[in-house]
Amino acid sequence: MDITVLSERLGLEEDEFLELVELFVETGASDLGQLEVAVQEKNVEEVVKSSHSIKGASGNLGFTEIFEAAKAVELNARQNSLDGATEAVDAIKEHLDRIAKKISGQTG
Amino acid sequence: MMDEQNLTVLLVDDEPIGIKVLERTLKKEGYHVIIAHDGPEARILASQYQPDLILLDIIMPGEDGFEVIQRLKEDPRTVHIPVIFLTGKDGLDSKMTGFDLGAVDYITKPFHGQEVLARVRLHLKLSLATNSLISSQAEKLRQIKDAQASMLVAPDDLPGARFGVYYQTLLEAGGDFYDVLQISDEIYGYFVADVSGHDIATSYITSAVKALLNQNCIPIYQPAESMRMINNVLEEILQEGKYLTACYARLNRKSETMSLINCGHPPAVYIPQNGEIELIHLKGDVLGAFRDVFFELREIHVQKGDRFFIYSDGLIERPGDKNVWTEGMNDLLKACRELRDIPIMDSAVRLRDMMHETTTAFEDDIVVLGIEV
């Protein structure tokens, strides 16, 4: 993740961008928690909802990998399928952790 | 509101990060940003703050973007505000739906800051250009309307004339016109006219007619003579095809005589204190079309409390039924009968209201003038 590139793309200063990423890490963690539970409980409706939130937020910041993973889960769930959802949750978690670490280094 | 330094953008999205990104991006460029998190909030803020542009997310819980734009476009307070859709969808179908509903553009998520700003700038420019064109045109017409309004006599200005009036113009420059003049101590002239056409030239004509009435409705002229004089001047100054219909009533309270002239206008209504209501049908040419005009004169011996209504055809016209007044006339007579006990000052407005129940759509200007002996 190149913070300079991502923030430039959005037309923001780096510190502004980092502030939003912090917000994303918080809300993303909570959305991801909900997604994880929903997948375990096979609650398709909740899966759609939480994956849609993650997709929107990550897309808006340009976190393409998370965006694509969440999008795939949402599309599948809309077709009533949870295929690949567990793997996607893991992948999203990994990316989110990496982002969290990176910005704690930058802002901390 | 149209200060370029302070353009306001309303952001509508249920996703907090997206809102923050757009808010920051827009604020940096100097826009004033207001935020709504769902459809109903968006509609309230839009009508309250009148933003210059709305960025609207399509997928939202509850009211979605399509529903929101539909409602915004139905509301006269928000119909003019340009809406750009924010969407993760890139499907052509949803884009076409959005354009059909009145969106001016799309921005596809994930956003690219420069793209957002470029589209916002473009549509604000278009909107500003359109609005300034409209407002400069409307301003011209408003000046004329103000001038027209200042020409109109209010019942309180001339209490001795004992009249009530209802006056409504459909467009900024109306084609209907009325005037009340004091000719001598006990003699008043009442004039209602309908100028053909509905353009700016029409309102210049009404100013000319006002001046002509003052010059020609004087004690030495009989009503028909006054109208002939006015006709001859109008015939000189009006462009071809322009004319006006009018009804002129001259009331002498001393001799208790009402003199009526009709220049191709709907008949006046006579409501005697004792006796049957009557429509005063009179032969007469329109004003301003040609030189050799003829007007039939009707003189009525009146008594205190007798009333007359003169009006323009907008009062009795039915939508899509421009030339048949029969049905409207019957309603008019019925309404006049019921209005006998209403004070004359209020009667014209009441008469219009009563006619409004039957003629639902107004396609024309309306003047109603009620006179009491």
Side-chain angles (χ1 to χ4, degrees), chain A residues 18-93:
Chain A
L18 287 172
E19 218 177 286
L20 293 177
V21 175
E22 257 182 276
L23 183 67
F24 169 67
V25 169
E26 282 166 37
T27 59
S30 137
D31 286 338
L32 187 64
Q34 281 170 24
L35 177 62
E36 212 171 353
V37 173
V39 170
Q40 279 161 13
E41 292 175 349
K42 302 201 191 313
N43 183 344
V44 178
E45 206 178 307
E46 271 304 310
V47 171
V48 171
K49 239 168 99 181
S50 46
S51 57
H52 180 78
S53 298
I54 297 169
K55 182 188 81 175
S58 58
N60 283 329
L61 291 175
F63 296 134
T64 323
E65 296 92 343
I66 299 180
F67 174 80
E68 291 298 339
K71 186 176 164 186
V73 174
E74 184 192 345
L75 283 177
N76 263 339
R78 283 187 190 277
Q79 310 288 326
N80 239 333
S81 155
L82 295 179
D83 287 352
T86 315
E87 293 80 358
V89 168
D90 290 342
I92 292 169
K93 197 184 274 177

Side-chain angles (χ1 to χ4, degrees), chain B residues 60-305:
Chain B
M60 292 185 291
E63 226 171 86
D64 69 12
F66 293 136
E67 205 178 330
V68 176
I69 191 174
Q70 231 161 341
R71 295 208 187 187
L72 288 170
K73 294 299 171 194
E74 281 164 13
D75 186 339
R77 290 166 304 180
T78 52
V79 62
H80 60 283
I81 306 171
V83 175
I84 297 179
F85 268 130
L86 305 171
T87 175
K89 290 183 169 183
D90 44 13
L92 188 63
D93 276 356
S94 73
K95 281 190 182 165
M96 294 326 283
T97 310
F99 285 128
D100 282 347
L101 294 175
V104 294
D105 208 348
Y106 267 85
I107 296 175
T108 309
K109 294 177 187 178
F111 307 125
H112 195 298
Q114 291 310 312
E115 184 199 354
V116 172
L117 291 174
R119 287 187 196 270
V120 165
R121 236 183 334 255
L122 168 69
H123 290 288
L124 282 172
K125 272 185 194 160
L126 285 174
S127 170
L128 285 172
T130 313
N131 283 331
S132 73
L133 192 67
I134 291 169
S135 63
S136 76
Q137 287 173 0
E139 184 51 37
K140 281 182 201 149
L141 287 176
R142 214 168 290 124
Q143 285 165 4
I144 289 163
K145 196 180 187 181
D146 289 347
Q148 267 188 330
S150 68
M151 287 175 8
L152 299 172
V153 189
D156 290 339
D157 300 338
L158 220 51
R162 294 191 57 74
F163 74 100
V165 69
Y166 175 83
Y167 182 76
Q168 168 195 281
T169 57
L170 193 65
L171 299 174
E172 299 283 350
D176 277 6
F177 171 70
Y178 79 90
D179 201 7
V180 178
L181 319 93
Q182 182 161 18
I183 296 169
S184 72
D185 266 354
E186 300 269 25
I187 304 174
Y188 287 87
Y190 308 83
F191 184 84
V192 165
D194 185 349
V195 184
S196 68
H198 238 127
D199 46 17
I200 296 187
T202 301
S203 57
Y204 292 131
I205 296 172
T206 59
S207 333
V209 172
K210 169 103 180 168
L212 288 171
L213 286 167
N214 274 315
Q215 288 162 26
N216 294 291
C217 296
I218 49 176
I220 56 163
Y221 286 145
Q222 286 303 302
E225 286 177 304
S226 302
M227 290 302 112
R228 258 196 301 276
M229 296 293 291
I230 290 172
N231 175 72
N232 293 350
V233 179
L234 288 176
E235 198 261 332
E236 290 284 331
I237 62 169
L238 293 193
Q239 65 201 74
E240 203 163 347
K242 274 272 178 196
Y243 63 89
L244 48 126
T245 70
C247 188
Y248 177 53
R250 198 180 75 164
L251 176 61
N252 185 333
R253 286 188 168 83
K254 202 162 206 169
S255 67
E256 299 190 319
T257 309
M258 173 64 106
S259 309
L260 284 165
I261 296 282
N262 199 324
C263 317
H265 204 73
V269 186
Y270 173 41
I271 308 150
Q273 274 286 76
N274 312 299
E276 251 316 292
I277 291 185
E278 187 190 347
L279 286 171
I280 312 292
H281 288 280
L282 293 169
K283 291 192 181 103
D285 295 312
V286 298
L287 295 174
F290 46 87
R291 182 56 67 106
D292 295 312
V293 283
F294 166 77
F295 305 112
E296 189 185 352
L297 170 73
R298 171 83 179 269
E299 292 198 316
I300 301 170
H301 185 69
V302 291
Q303 50 177 303
K304 200 160 187 284

